[in-house]
């Protein structure tokens, strides 16, 4: 049985003051959730969030990591550094990284490999653009993105978390319907099953304008094992009600 995971992606939002208010509100309201909960915060705030979350049931995650281990890579952050601040998860290949920072499938696969080798669980993001969906290319695109990660990671693939995030649904208020999301998740699950006998363990998150109103229906789908939540993770009541909708 896969334990569901609700992960917040703060993106480039927050401040020392706002983070403290948000985390304290989450800790006050979260109770004992039936799912796992994580916050993927900006790197600059890992230390602060690590100390605020320490000993709580909420895990810490980063939003990106270098594919390199150490050395002359100005501006980059290594897995070892993330580990020092208690990061359990790291987003890899978010569509904003692919789009604005030109991360290719092979770079994403190397980042996932580096994270796994360091004991950090990569949350690997895949998803099609609106043009790709309209051209009937959704399956081809997500399968290509996942194939690169499977190829680089071999049997370790069962240790990843996979997030299906249709690009057209991220930050737009347009959510994939539960049926649309489940259909793609089933395709991804089948691809994982062909690669690993442990594929049933892998959590597949849906991300893209998930909110308090649509979470329950999405999370009830057979192959949707949680959510990756951007905008709604910045508001404690909204994020808490998504967590509460997991059963
Ligand atoms: C995301 O950034 O991963 C995301 C899903 O954002 P939003 O929930 O705001 O669409």
């Amino acid at each position: 049985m896969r334990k569901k995971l609700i992960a917040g992606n703060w993106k480039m939002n927050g401040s020392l003051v706002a983070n403290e208010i948000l985390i304290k509100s989450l800790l006050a309201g979260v109770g004992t959730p039936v799912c796992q909960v994580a916050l993927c915060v900006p790197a600059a705030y890992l230390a602060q969030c690590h100390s605020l979350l320490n000993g709580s049931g909420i895990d810490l995650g980063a939003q990106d990591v270098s594919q390199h281990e150490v050395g002359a890579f100005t501006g980059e952050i290594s897995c070892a550094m993330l580990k020092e601040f208690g990061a359990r998860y790291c987003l890899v290949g978010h569509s904003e990284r692919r789009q604005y920072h030109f991360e290719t499938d092979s770079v994403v696969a190397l980042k996932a490999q580096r994270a796994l080798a360091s004991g950090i669980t990569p949350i690997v993001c895949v998803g099609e653009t609106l043009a790709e969906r309209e051209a009937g290319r959704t399956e081809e695109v997500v399968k290509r993105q996942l194939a690169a990660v499977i190829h680089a990671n071999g049997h370790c693939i069962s240790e990843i978390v996979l997030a299906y995030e249709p690009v057209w649904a991220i930050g737009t208020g347009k959510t994939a319907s539960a049926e649309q999301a489940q259909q793609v998740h089933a395709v991804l699950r089948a691809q994982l099953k062909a690669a690993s006998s442990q594929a049933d363990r892998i959590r597949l998150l849906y991300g893209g304008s998930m909110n308090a109103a649509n979470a329950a229906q999405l999370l009830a789908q057979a192959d949707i094992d949680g959510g990756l939540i951007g905008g709604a993770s910045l508001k404690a009541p909204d994020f808490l009600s998504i967590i509460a909708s997991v059963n």
Side-chain angles (χ1 to χ4, degrees), residues 143-189:
K143 284 168 91 172
R144 188 203 71 222
Q145 291 171 332
L146 178 57
V149 182
I150 291 173
H151 180 70
N153 289 281
H155 69 273
C156 295
I157 198 69
S158 61
E159 304 302 320
I160 73 166
V161 171
L162 183 63
Y164 168 56
E165 297 209 301
V167 179
W168 49 270
I170 297 179
T172 58
K174 284 186 206 154
T175 322
S177 68
E179 295 71 27
Q180 282 173 322
Q182 167 56 30
Q183 197 177 20
V184 178
H185 280 231
V187 167
L188 294 170
R189 177 85 61 204

Side-chain angles (χ1 to χ4, degrees), residues 9 11 94 96 165 169-172 207-210 228-232:
N9 173 15
K11 311 195 191 207
H94 190 282
E96 288 151 15
E165 297 209 301
I170 297 179
T172 58
S209 298
M210 189 185 267
L228 180 55
I229 292 112

